[in-house]
Amino acid sequence: MASRRLARLDSALRVLAALVGTLPLAVLASVCLARFAPLAEDTRSALGFSLVVPLWLAAMCFAFLTRSAARAWGACAALGALLLALAYVVPQ
């Protein structure tokens, strides 16, 4: 009985990571693409804006394919910290 509850909790947390935890990853990845792409400024902003949804779907797929919720949230946190550093700390 306890293992079923843990399995349900793990599944729910993994779904939550896929839906909520991956959106900041997609937005930060598109900001990094728009910031560092060697294109004109209007093209970079259009590229970043148009790639948010495909990046979010790819991150969701990755989160659903992880073995546990801890790995999904850990990957979201690690990639989020890396992309945040790239987007706002690294000079252009």
Side-chain angles (χ1 to χ4, degrees):
M1 177 88 100
S3 65
R4 286 179 120 182
R5 287 185 184 172
L6 287 177
R8 284 184 183 174
L9 180 65
D10 188 65
S11 297
L13 288 174
R14 195 170 47 208
V15 168
L16 191 66
L19 294 175
V20 177
T22 57
L23 181 60
L25 290 179
V27 171
L28 285 170
S30 66
V31 166
C32 287
L33 282 172
R35 187 166 180 212
F36 295 114
L39 301 168
E41 186 175 349
D42 56 344
T43 308
R44 290 186 308 182
S45 62
L47 176 74
F49 182 73
S50 63
L51 286 180
V52 170
V53 174
L55 288 172
W56 190 21
L57 290 173
M60 275 191 208
C61 290
F62 172 76
F64 277 123
L65 290 174
T66 57
R67 285 188 235 168
S68 67
R71 285 184 186 218
W73 280 107
C76 287
L79 287 173
L82 176 70
L83 289 170
L84 186 69
L86 279 175
Y88 295 109
V89 177
V90 175
Q92 190 171 3

